[in-house]
Amino acid sequence: MSDLDFATFQALVRLYADYAAAVDSGDWDLWPEFFVDDCTYRLVPRENHERNLPLATLAFESKAMLKDRVYGIRETLFHDPYYQRHVVGPPLVIGCAPGRIESESNYAVFRTKLDGATTVFNVGRTIDVVVDTPAGWKFKSRTLVYDSEMIPNSIIYPL
Amino acid sequence: MDRSTIDTVFPALPVWEGEGTSRVPFAAYTSEELHRRELERFFYRRHWCYVGLEIEIAKPGDFKRTVVGERSVILTRALDGTIHVVENVCAHRGMSFCRARSGNRKDFTCPYHQWNYSLKGDLQGVPFRRGVKQDGKVHGGMPADFDPSTNGLNKLKVATRGGVVFASFDHDVEPLEQFLGPAIVPWFDRLFDGRALKLLGYNRQRIPGNWKLMQENIKDPYHPGLLHTWFVTFGLWRADNRSRLVMDERFRHAAMISTRGSSAAGSDAKQVTQVASFKQDMKLEDPRFLDIVAEPWWHGPTAVMTTIFPSVILQQQVNSVSTRHIQPDGHGAFDFVWTHFGFADDSDEMTQRRLRQANLFGPAGFVSADDGEVIELSQQGFEQKPFHRTLAELGGTDVADTEHMVTETLIRGMYRYWREVMEA
């Protein structure tokens, strides 16, 4: 772990902050750009994760699938509109190698509907592999294991 | 149109317009008192309710906590391999003692006073039953005529079919096969033909709407091609696909059966959807979402959605198979628990395919997330003017099986049964 220099750690913190800002912005096209082409993104209830059950609430295996999700959000998925707000803890670095970091973070997402109070929407931790690319640090894989197993109706926007 | 002379905005009971069931009063969805009567008449008497799959309790000692209606129950496999369902309420002081969602153990102990039960629900141990000896005297203890054999947990009647477990609080309930009826049994058996299943996992969502709306959602072949643009574009569910709707003889259960890609030649999607939101030019960036491989057990149909009243929906949508358990919580909400599975002899590729297609379903799914949304907003409409009613008259006002899906006959059928039971 000592070989993670400060500049790299700062880049990792920045990636997490930029990601949170992007997925809360409403500009969904920003979201896939945080990933390499050959990426995985999984949103998994903690129950399945801890019992080694393979089902995810969402399981994408490429940046192309993330783009399909963006299209779905924008064009096909009817939903009651809402704001979402991520609060993300500092990265917990699990391991690193040149050009590659394994890290985790705690997160809470709040949902605010247009006529309602703000409520806790989804809480959990991310398990990430990030890699250095010519375009900067990107997620190779991002797994969100959520404690909030009883989803308040539906999840539409990217977490 | 709203009735011009409104006696009251909040009627005590639903008022039906005539004998038919094509106009469902909003008040059928808005009353706590009526909801409790539904629990008694549909969930607690004369009906079989879904509690799980046998693979969820594969080994002796395995258990899973679930519900029948709004009552917490535990599905267990006893040490002799038999399957039991007991109510999660201690016989002593009524505590709902089992908190783990699943696990494996030899017996159950209520933490409050350590009453101990077998996995079959028999009372095995009562601390201080014979009292406590002190200074040569026995203090306390249960009465001499206390009989453990009549003070176990409440045991439900259990039936299994093809690896699916149903339970009933009503020990006089008709046999499961008769409950399903000869029109529905073949569709049940098509999915659950006795093959070993493989559990893939769960999704859970709380939908703030009346539980009946979920049954209606899957008895409504009108909406998929309109609300779920995804379905139409890829031909998974089109109004002109070859399809059938069948019901049991009391119209409570139904199967919607559809075959993808069987539309008449030359019919174009725009014509059958008649909606501006239809995306003719929609193309997937990653077509693996729809890497569909036909399976021999389908015998043709690519989608069969079976509603077993009142508690469960059985889903086959191409390679994605699941049960969807309806767990009411008051008149205005229910929990919806999805259990996805595959078959023990699936190749790794088929398992991966089922998991990938699961992206279409569940609380975030491309074609399911919006079902929860419309149910929530329907409930909001009902609550603001319970004197009003819905209009389910596509295909007429009668109730009958059809060879097409341009009809709301299954909803009318369900309410014919509902009225029969609720107005008795």
Side-chain angles (χ1 to χ4, degrees):
Chain A
M1 200 103 66
S2 56
D3 51 354
L4 185 66
D5 59 85
F6 185 76
T8 308
F9 185 74
Q10 191 182 24
L12 181 66
V13 172
R14 173 107 193 235
L15 178 72
Y16 278 26
D18 286 348
Y19 182 97
V23 292
D24 292 345
S25 72
D27 183 359
W28 313 124
D29 286 322
L30 298 173
W31 175 54
E33 301 310 319
F34 285 85
F35 294 82
V36 299
D37 290 345
D38 177 25
C39 66
T40 61
Y41 171 93
R42 300 179 76 242
L43 177 65
V44 188
R46 183 166 171 171
E47 170 182 28
N48 290 355
H49 181 75
E50 292 186 348
R51 291 178 62 185
N52 290 316
L53 295 169
L55 183 75
T57 305
L58 289 173
F60 301 141
E61 301 158 73
S62 66
K63 187 170 167 179
M65 284 189 173
L66 302 185
K67 289 183 174 175
D68 284 329
R69 180 66 181 182
V70 169
Y71 187 88
I73 292 166
R74 193 187 290 126
E75 303 289 342
T76 78
L77 268 166
F78 169 76
H79 60 280
D80 200 17
Y82 60 94
Y83 305 127
Q84 66 178 16
R85 184 67 50 194
H86 282 65
V87 178
V88 179
L92 173 66
V93 176
I94 305 295
C96 60
R100 177 190 166 95
I101 305 167
E102 292 172 31
S103 57
E104 300 185 1
S105 65
N106 288 337
Y107 72 89
V109 183
F110 300 87
R111 182 178 71 173
T112 311
K113 288 200 172 191
L114 304 187
D115 302 311
T118 298
T119 57
V120 179
F121 184 49
N122 192 275
V123 171
R125 69 178 166 129
T126 67
I127 302 171
D128 304 310
V129 175
V130 301
V131 292
D132 199 7
T133 77
W137 290 89
K138 304 278 184 190
F139 289 103
K140 167 71 177 158
S141 72
R142 168 146 257 211
T143 300
L144 294 89
V145 179
Y146 60 89
D147 298 344
S148 319
E149 291 164 344
M150 189 61 77
I151 291 169
N153 205 346
S154 59
I155 293 175
I156 308 292
Y157 307 144
L159 297 181
Chain B
M1 200 175 70
D2 290 6
R3 274 159 279 177
S4 51
T5 51
I6 299 160
D7 295 335
T8 171
V9 174
F10 304 103
L13 287 171
V15 179
W16 293 80
E17 297 176 15
E19 291 305 304
T21 53
S22 66
R23 297 177 175 207
V24 183
F26 286 4
Y29 307 90
T30 58
S31 155
E32 210 51 45
E33 189 189 334
L34 194 70
H35 175 67
R36 290 198 181 127
R37 202 179 314 154
E38 289 178 337
L39 287 173
E40 286 187 6
R41 295 189 181 189
F42 296 127
F43 288 90
Y44 303 151
R45 278 208 303 258
R46 294 187 188 161
H47 292 73
W48 287 103
C49 287
Y50 172 86
V51 285
L53 301 173
E54 286 191 46
I55 38 161
E56 294 178 274
I57 45 154
K59 298 186 301 292
D62 283 355
F63 72 93
K64 170 192 148 179
R65 179 167 55 77
T66 180
V67 296
V68 169
E70 295 182 0
R71 294 167 76 169
S72 177
V73 301
I74 315 166
L75 168 63
T76 73
R77 189 178 292 274
L79 300 177
D80 64 4
T82 54
I83 294 174
H84 304 266
V85 177
V86 295
E87 190 163 15
N88 183 18
V89 173
C90 181
H92 175 219
R93 295 290 302 276
M95 178 165 148
S96 183
F97 57 90
C98 176
R99 305 316 305 160
R101 194 184 262 157
S102 62
N104 183 284
R105 55 181 66 157
K106 289 191 191 64
D107 51 23
F108 292 112
T109 301
C110 177
Y112 200 174
H113 303 89
Q114 304 281 309
W115 282 38
N116 177 276
Y117 304 94
S118 74
L119 294 161
K120 298 180 180 182
D122 295 321
L123 180 59
Q124 303 185 130
V126 174
F128 308 134
R129 183 180 165 195
R130 311 279 179 211
V132 175
K133 269 189 195 153
Q134 197 176 36
D135 303 330
K137 283 191 193 162
V138 177
H139 298 296
M142 295 294 280
D145 62 354
F146 176 75
D147 179 6
S149 73
T150 57
N151 286 285
L153 299 174
N154 188 19
K155 299 174 183 179
L156 284 77
K157 189 162 180 160
V158 176
T160 62
R161 188 177 183 90
V164 187
V165 189
F166 290 86
S168 181
F169 283 106
D170 184 350
H171 286 260
D172 296 324
V173 65
E174 65 190 313
L176 178 63
E177 187 172 334
Q178 196 177 316
F179 173 75
L180 296 172
I184 297 301
V185 161
W187 298 105
F188 186 97
D189 290 352
R190 171 178 171 274
L191 181 55
F192 297 107
D193 65 359
R195 289 169 291 176
L197 307 180
K198 180 159 67 180
L199 182 65
L200 298 182
Y202 304 97
N203 272 311
R204 300 169 190 271
Q205 64 188 129
R206 166 155 296 201
I207 300 180
N210 185 271
W211 67 273
K212 298 191 292 300
L213 288 168
M214 187 44 82
Q215 284 280 345
E216 292 173 48
N217 184 263
I218 309 297
K219 291 178 187 287
D220 164 16
Y222 188 12
H223 85 279
L226 300 166
L227 175 64
H228 310 308
T229 322
W230 243 79
F231 263 142
V232 196
T233 303
F234 301 107
L236 287 175
W237 194 277
R238 278 176 49 166
D240 60 344
N241 278 354
R242 207 161 294 291
S243 48
R244 287 175 63 196
L245 304 177
V246 301
M247 287 173 274
D248 72 310
E249 60 191 10
R250 300 184 74 180
F251 312 122
R252 51 191 176 182
H253 319 306
M256 299 197 299
I257 304 136
S258 176
T259 304
R260 178 181 185 242
S262 58
S263 308
S267 68
D268 87 69
K270 188 120 198 166
Q271 183 266 321
V272 296
T273 61
Q274 300 178 8
V275 278
S277 62
F278 174 63
K279 318 288 180 215
Q280 186 88 58
D281 57 353
M282 186 161 109
K283 291 239 171 7
L284 287 171
E285 299 263 350
D286 191 329
R288 287 179 296 175
F289 280 127
L290 288 170
D291 168 30
I292 295 161
V293 171
E295 299 177 63
W297 61 269
W298 293 1
H299 303 296
T302 52
V304 178
M305 299 297 297
T306 309
T307 39
I308 307 296
F309 194 83
S311 67
V312 72
I313 292 150
L314 312 176
Q315 167 198 329
Q316 179 229 337
Q317 280 283 2
V318 285
N319 300 113
S320 180
V321 287
S322 72
T323 63
R324 308 178 183 179
H325 189 184
I326 298 169
Q327 308 184 347
D329 182 19
H331 79 271
F334 62 96
D335 295 341
F336 201 39
V337 179
W338 303 63
T339 305
H340 282 254
F341 58 92
F343 303 101
D345 60 359
D346 283 345
S347 65
D348 290 347
E349 290 74 20
M350 182 56 83
T351 298
Q352 187 56 37
R353 186 174 292 117
R354 295 195 203 286
L355 292 168
R356 202 178 279 136
Q357 290 178 21
N359 282 300
L360 276 60
F361 307 102
F366 280 106
V367 295
S368 287
D370 31 21
D371 284 325
E373 295 286 301
V374 298
I375 286 173
E376 176 172 357
L377 302 176
S378 297
Q379 186 71 26
Q380 287 182 18
F382 301 158
E383 297 284 358
Q384 77 181 42
K385 47 185 299 192
F387 66 88
H388 198 48
R389 79 302 184 263
T390 69
L391 193 63
E393 301 190 344
L394 191 74
T397 57
D398 66 334
V399 175
D401 291 0
T402 63
E403 297 293 321
H404 63 84
M405 58 165 104
V406 198
T407 176
E408 293 171 304
T409 194
L410 303 183
I411 295 174
R412 296 191 289 273
M414 186 182 101
Y415 279 99
R416 185 178 289 189
Y417 178 69
W418 189 91
R419 289 193 71 175
E420 189 184 307
V421 173
M422 294 296 286
E423 292 172 8

